[in-house]
Amino acid sequence: MITELECLPCFFRQITRTLQYAGVNGDKGRSIMRKATLIIENAPLSEIPARTTTLINRLLREEIGSDPYQRIKDTYNRISLERLPAMRQMAQESPDRLEGSARIAIAGNVIDFGIYESVDVDLSLTESFRLELQQDEYRTFARAVAGAHRILYLCDNAGEIVFDRVLLETLKEAGKVLTAVVKGVPVINDATLRDARAAGLHECATVIDNGNDGVGTLLEACSPQFLEAYRAADMIISKGQANYETLVQTGDTRIFFLFKVKCPVVASLLDRDHGDIVLERCRGR
């Protein structure tokens, strides 16, 4: 995956949205925008978009001096926790509990304020059970789960991690040893250890952070603790588009990507429609 021209407006929307959340405008806002524009101008189109957004968000965090997304992260952790009992029931009542749990986890991927201005989690849940989940890919996923002992679960956004709890609880009841991974530093509305505690992830998995502020999972920047868990895993469940962007080129067939299609570049790459749900194994090189 490379940066397409369609990615450039998205970069600028993310900058503008972050400044709005931070309440930054006027001269300071224009100064930050100019600095961020230089990052975009110097970003090679041969690079994956997540590397550019990592640099942009690092600049924004340094210039703003706080986490502009913390309030909305807290809000969506709360909103999602209110729905947790109903989501557990949906999984239990599914003909295939593992598939139902995976559909719920994917539905939570809509909580992405790096892309969206507002989200409807209830609609996303409904759609996730209506939309096609490619059954050949799901059967491969189910076989991998059955054969795995240690599963590494790469989390994405705050709020979304409550949806992930449903899948993690299903995996735990199946006897799997689970490690859930969040970001080491706040970036956009991605989950951190604070969010993981709020969402109760520690009740169903060992929770660690990856030691860095990268958008997605930039393996070369991750901590030794994370890399040890990564190497030891029998299976890796990777949530979200940014993790897809940063890991698909590894050719690591232990990885299964779960996400909603939220941009035209990814839709074109996968020959899917915006809003589709994806469960796909990483292809070997």
Side-chain angles (χ1 to χ4, degrees), residues 1 15 27 30 33 39 43 68 88 91 107 114 121 158 175 186 211 213 218 228 233 239 244 247 259 263 265 273 276:
M1 185 169 180
I15 297 163
D27 290 341
R30 284 190 290 273
M33 180 62 79
I39 292 174
R88 284 170 169 158
V121 295
D213 64 348
L218 303 174
E228 181 180 354
K239 286 294 301 294
Y244 175 79
L247 293 173
F259 61 94
C263 87
V265 175
D273 293 327
D276 278 358

Side-chain angles (χ1 to χ4, degrees), residues 4 37 48 58 62 65 67 71 80 88 90 105 132 135 155 183 189 201 212 226 236 240 244 269 281:
E4 303 287 354
T37 299
I48 57 174
R58 187 174 295 157
E62 292 170 353
D67 180 3
R71 179 177 295 180
S80 301
R88 284 170 169 158
M90 290 172 72
E132 178 188 4
Q135 287 302 302
C155 298
K183 291 294 187 297
N189 66 307
L201 284 195
N212 74 89
F226 168 82
I236 299 166
Y244 175 79
L269 186 68
R281 187 176 203 165

Side-chain angles (χ1 to χ4, degrees), residues 111-247:
I111 307 174
D112 187 342
F113 290 96
I115 295 178
Y116 296 132
E117 301 257 344
S118 62
V119 299
D120 186 333
V121 295
D122 295 316
L123 177 61
S124 185
L125 269 171
T126 300
E127 289 181 337
S128 198
F129 278 85
R130 176 180 58 81
L131 291 167
E132 178 188 4
L133 189 68
Q134 293 179 308
Q135 287 302 302
D136 55 342
E137 293 283 357
Y138 171 68
R139 287 190 290 270
T140 301
F141 173 78
R143 286 194 297 269
V145 167
H149 177 58
R150 294 181 299 275
I151 299 178
L152 188 70
Y153 198 105
L154 306 181
C155 298
D156 192 7
N157 302 304
E160 177 181 351
I161 55 178
V162 179
F163 290 67
D164 294 328
R165 266 188 72 173
V166 179
L167 179 51
L168 286 165
E169 288 169 354
T170 297
L171 295 170
K172 183 180 180 181
E173 289 183 23
K176 309 305 175 182
V177 176
L178 304 171
T179 301
V181 184
V182 295
K183 291 294 187 297
V185 179
V187 54
I188 322 179
N189 66 307
D190 286 15
T192 62
L193 288 174
R194 168 179 169 169
D195 301 305
R197 285 191 291 270
L201 284 195
H202 61 282
E203 296 176 15
C204 50
T206 298
V207 182
I208 63 173
D209 69 64
N210 68 4
N212 74 89
D213 64 348
V215 174
T217 299
L218 303 174
L219 291 174
E220 73 278 7
C222 289
S223 67
Q225 181 192 25
F226 168 82
L227 291 174
E228 181 180 354
Y230 183 89
R231 287 189 291 264
D234 303 313
M235 179 181 184
I236 299 166
I237 297 175
S238 167
K239 286 294 301 294
Q241 279 192 172
N243 278 328
Y244 175 79
E245 287 180 31
T246 50
L247 293 173

Side-chain angles (χ1 to χ4, degrees), residues 3-161:
T3 301
E4 303 287 354
L5 292 178
E6 292 169 288
C7 298
L8 304 184
C10 189
F11 292 156
F12 284 106
R13 283 194 296 270
Q14 192 173 119
I15 297 163
T16 302
R17 190 178 304 117
T18 302
L19 293 175
Q20 289 174 340
Y21 280 126
V24 174
N25 49 41
D27 290 341
K28 183 175 182 181
R30 284 190 290 273
S31 174
I32 295 172
M33 180 62 79
R34 283 194 292 269
K35 293 176 182 178
T37 299
L38 286 175
I39 292 174
I40 296 170
E41 288 177 351
N42 292 320
L45 293 180
S46 59
E47 189 56 271
I48 57 174
R51 293 190 182 277
T52 300
T53 52
T54 292
L55 297 177
I56 291 169
N57 282 282
R58 187 174 295 157
L59 167 72
L60 292 171
R61 186 175 61 255
E62 292 170 353
E63 293 286 336
I64 294 168
S66 62
D67 180 3
Y69 289 89
Q70 191 59 62
R71 179 177 295 180
I72 201 162
K73 290 196 294 182
D74 291 342
T75 296
Y76 274 87
N77 279 331
R78 176 182 54 77
I79 288 171
S80 301
L81 282 167
E82 289 170 356
R83 287 156 176 77
L84 181 59
M87 291 191 293
R88 284 170 169 158
Q89 185 173 353
M90 290 172 72
Q92 289 280 7
E93 294 176 351
S94 296
D96 181 331
R97 182 179 171 187
L98 178 62
E99 180 179 340
S101 300
R103 286 178 178 273
I104 289 167
I106 295 169
N109 191 230
V110 75
I111 307 174
D112 187 342
F113 290 96
I115 295 178
Y116 296 132
E117 301 257 344
S118 62
V119 299
D120 186 333
V121 295
D122 295 316
L123 177 61
S124 185
L125 269 171
T126 300
E127 289 181 337
S128 198
F129 278 85
R130 176 180 58 81
L131 291 167
E132 178 188 4
L133 189 68
Q134 293 179 308
Q135 287 302 302
D136 55 342
E137 293 283 357
Y138 171 68
R139 287 190 290 270
T140 301
F141 173 78
R143 286 194 297 269
V145 167
H149 177 58
R150 294 181 299 275
I151 299 178
L152 188 70
Y153 198 105
L154 306 181
C155 298
D156 192 7
N157 302 304
E160 177 181 351
I161 55 178

